[in-house]
Amino acid sequence: QVQLVESGGGLVQAGGSLRLSCADSRRILSINNMGWYRQAPGKQRELVATITSGGSTSYVDSVKGRFTISRGDIKNTVYLQMNSLKPEDTAVYYCWGKAAMEYWGKGTLVTVSP
């Protein structure tokens, strides 16, 4: 079964850092674009960052300068380095990939304490 699987979430103090990872568990998809969404409790899911196969990146304004998205050497892997975390960053973070279809991970919880 083809899956996107996230890891790296956890509890961190404000100002700290976390690095999220995502990979196609089977490494068989042809994914052009990958990214990260997040959904905070009671809030709408929002797009955090994307990266194309060519390495072009984009970020939501609230994380610019703090988060960095990158692709790994292994096919269909993507990372999100999150620095200077704020309590407002607390959310479930979802990996996203676009091939012929769109694929989603199940989410990893990031909790930032004040």
Side-chain angles (χ1 to χ4, degrees), residues 44-60:
Q44 197 77 17
R45 184 177 296 189
E46 69 171 347
L47 180 61
V48 178
T50 61
I51 185 167
T52 69
S53 59
S56 179
T57 61
S58 64
Y59 301 90
V60 67

Side-chain angles (χ1 to χ4, degrees), residues 3 19 30 36 38 42 47 50 58 62-63 72 77-78 81 84 100:
Q3 304 177 39
R19 185 171 184 258
S30 181
W36 294 90
R38 68 184 180 186
L47 180 61
T50 61
S58 64
S62 61
V63 309
T77 60
V78 64
Q81 179 66 47
S84 301

Side-chain angles (χ1 to χ4, degrees):
Q1 294 179 353
V2 177
Q3 304 177 39
L4 296 180
V5 181
E6 307 98 335
S7 63
L11 175 64
V12 65
Q13 190 174 0
S17 299
L18 286 174
R19 185 171 184 258
L20 305 184
S21 301
C22 173
D24 168 10
S25 62
R26 301 284 297 275
R27 301 190 298 276
I28 60 173
L29 296 175
S30 181
I31 299 177
N32 294 319
N33 302 329
M34 301 190 77
W36 294 90
Y37 285 74
R38 68 184 180 186
Q39 187 167 24
K43 303 294 184 181
Q44 197 77 17
R45 184 177 296 189
E46 69 171 347
L47 180 61
V48 178
T50 61
I51 185 167
T52 69
S53 59
S56 179
T57 61
S58 64
Y59 301 90
V60 67
D61 286 345
S62 61
V63 309
K64 288 180 179 178
R66 301 189 297 119
F67 291 10
T68 303
I69 189 170
S70 61
R71 301 187 78 134
D73 292 332
I74 300 174
K75 182 180 175 65
N76 299 332
T77 60
V78 64
Y79 304 95
L80 186 67
Q81 179 66 47
M82 305 185 294
N83 298 325
S84 301
L85 282 162
K86 305 174 181 179
E88 303 92 280
D89 296 317
T90 295
V92 176
Y93 284 71
Y94 297 90
C95 183
W96 167 86
K98 176 67 167 65
M101 302 287 106
E102 291 186 348
Y103 295 86
W104 295 86
K106 294 182 179 180
T108 185
L109 177 62
V110 172
T111 302
V112 184
S113 62

